[in-house]
């Protein structure tokens, strides 16, 4: 049946890995019959249990792949793939039942159906505590499918959490980007303000220097005017003082005029 199945390369690879594990389980249980030491039997059972865990995971992947390809495959191919999946689940459950038998021999009377990956602190569900030997093949298949469905639902919930986390991360990134741009604009405005303050400080200094220069010029002019006035006053008070030079543009004081008269003949007579 398996040789005539039409599978995609991915499904075929998973199917081949499952078949390899089934062969390893068959050989492992055959070797287990030859082991007499209980400790070595426990070790061998732990190794086989690990292989069954891996087989269960691969069967889930096989189921996901054939569901994804359901719309691309003909109905008869989908039916064959589903039948093959049910056959692999049934075969896996037979190994679970065989493991239960060996566990009973070692003193463990009850096991979980698909005791794969459950931590010691996790209490088993009531429906999974049934002994594999008390369940029919259909019940084993239904229980296995139920477990796989519950796992699928848990995976979907995890995906939703991941999507929500990604969305929150995108929103946070957008907010941080906006804040970064706003801070950049604020820094540019601060630079402009600082430049304006520098220009204003330079302008105030230039104005101060001009005011100081104007004051010096006015003081110098005032001194010149005072000096000129002082010279004029001195000239008026001491007109004959030769030590004081005439001020250019200012007429010298008029000399003392003496009245001259002509003596007449009477005076000389």
């Amino acid at each position: 049946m398996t040789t005539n199945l039409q599978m995609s390369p991915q499904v075929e690879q998973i199917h081949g890995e499952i078949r390899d594990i089934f062969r390893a389980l068959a050989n492992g249980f055959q070797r287990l019959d030859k082991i007499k030491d209980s400790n070595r039997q426990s070790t061998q059972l732990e190794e086989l249990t690990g292989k069954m865990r891996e087989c269960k995971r691969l069967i889930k992947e096989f189921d996901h792949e054939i569901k994804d390809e359901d719309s691309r495959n003909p109905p008869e191919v989908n039916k064959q793939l589903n039948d093959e999946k049910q056959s692999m689940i049934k075969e896996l459950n037979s190994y679970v039942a065989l493991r239960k038998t060996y566990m009973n021999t070692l003193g463990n009377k009850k096991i979980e159906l698909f005791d794969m990956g459950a931590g010691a602190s996790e209490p088993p569900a009531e429906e999974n505590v049934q002994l594999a030997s008390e369940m029919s093949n259909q019940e084993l298949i239904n229980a296995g499918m139920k477990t796989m469905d519950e796992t699928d639902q848990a995976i979907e919930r995890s995906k939703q959490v991941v999507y929500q986390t990604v969305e929150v991360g995108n929103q946070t990134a957008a907010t941080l980007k906006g804040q970064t741009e706003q801070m950049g604009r604020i820094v540019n405005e601060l630079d402009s303000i600082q430049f304006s303050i520098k220009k204003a400080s330079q302008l105030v200094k230039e104005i101060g220097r001009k005011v100081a220069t104007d004051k010096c010029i006015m003081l110098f002019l005032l001194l010149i005017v005072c000096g000129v006035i002082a010279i004029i006053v001195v000239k008026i008070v001491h007109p004959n003082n030769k030590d004081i030079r005439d001020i250019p543009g200012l007429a010298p004081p008029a000399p003392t005029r003496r009245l001259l008269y002509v003596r007449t003949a009477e005076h000389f007579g």
Side-chain angles (χ1 to χ4, degrees):
M1 176 178 178
T2 59
T3 57
N4 296 327
L5 289 176
Q6 298 180 7
M7 303 179 187
S8 66
Q10 181 68 19
V11 175
E12 186 174 2
Q13 179 181 357
I14 296 173
H15 183 266
E17 292 178 1
I18 294 173
R19 285 299 166 190
D20 290 340
I21 291 177
F22 282 153
R23 285 191 290 270
L25 288 172
N27 294 332
F29 280 109
Q30 288 178 0
R31 289 195 301 271
L32 193 62
D33 292 333
K34 301 177 182 179
I35 298 175
K36 304 302 181 182
D37 183 68
S38 60
N39 291 329
R40 291 180 59 191
Q41 285 183 341
S42 297
T43 303
Q44 180 71 9
L45 281 175
E46 289 177 1
E47 294 178 0
L48 295 175
T49 301
K51 293 183 182 297
M52 284 187 279
R53 290 194 185 101
E54 179 65 14
C55 186
K56 176 190 173 183
R57 185 187 65 80
L58 290 173
I59 290 175
K60 289 180 180 179
E61 289 188 12
F62 184 87
D63 183 56
H64 285 307
E65 291 294 333
I66 64 176
K67 285 180 179 178
D68 291 340
E69 298 177 2
D70 183 83
S71 59
R72 299 191 297 269
N73 292 333
E76 59 273 11
V77 174
N78 290 329
K79 183 178 183 304
Q80 290 177 355
L81 292 175
N82 281 313
D83 290 342
E84 177 64 15
K85 179 189 69 176
Q86 298 296 337
S87 174
M88 290 188 296
I89 293 174
K90 181 178 178 181
E91 186 172 354
L92 177 59
N93 283 330
S94 67
Y95 286 115
V96 172
L98 187 59
R99 173 181 175 272
K100 172 258 174 185
T101 302
Y102 282 99
M103 291 294 291
N104 286 340
T105 303
L106 294 174
N108 191 355
K109 301 300 181 182
K110 288 188 177 182
I111 62 170
E112 277 186 66
L113 177 68
F114 289 106
D115 182 17
M116 300 174 186
S121 61
E122 297 179 355
E126 291 296 332
E127 61 271 16
N128 288 338
V129 187
Q130 299 182 29
L131 293 177
S133 61
E134 298 176 359
M135 301 174 68
S136 63
N137 290 335
Q138 187 61 40
E139 288 175 337
L140 290 172
I141 292 173
N142 292 338
M145 292 302 298
K146 182 178 180 180
T147 303
M148 293 173 68
D149 291 338
E150 291 174 353
T151 304
D152 292 341
Q153 293 175 3
I155 292 174
E156 290 299 326
R157 289 192 296 270
S158 300
K159 287 182 179 179
Q160 291 296 327
V161 173
V162 171
Y163 293 150
Q164 293 174 359
T165 304
V166 171
E167 185 176 358
V168 171
N170 292 333
Q171 293 177 355
T172 304
T175 302
L176 290 175
K177 182 179 179 181
Q179 292 178 351
T180 302
E181 293 176 352
Q182 184 178 5
M183 291 180 66
R185 290 192 296 269
I186 292 174
V187 170
N188 293 334
E189 292 176 358
L190 290 175
D191 291 339
S192 300
I193 293 172
Q194 185 177 7
F195 178 76
S196 300
I197 292 174
K198 288 183 178 179
K199 293 292 292 183
S201 299
Q202 293 176 358
L203 183 60
V204 169
K205 290 180 181 179
E206 291 178 359
I207 294 174
R209 285 196 296 267
K210 289 181 180 180
V211 170
T213 302
D214 294 341
K215 287 182 178 180
C216 291
I217 293 173
M218 291 178 64
L219 180 60
F220 182 71
L221 292 176
L222 180 61
L223 292 175
I224 292 175
V225 171
C226 292
V228 171
I229 293 174
I231 294 173
I232 293 173
V233 171
V234 172
K235 273 289 186 181
I236 293 174
V237 175
H238 303 285
N240 296 322
N241 190 348
K242 300 299 181 179
D243 295 333
I244 302 175
R245 300 178 60 184
D246 294 334
I247 299 174
L250 184 64
T256 304
R257 295 182 180 182
R258 297 180 179 179
L259 295 177
L260 300 177
Y261 61 95
V262 180
R263 294 178 179 271
T264 62
E266 296 175 356
H267 293 88
F268 294 98

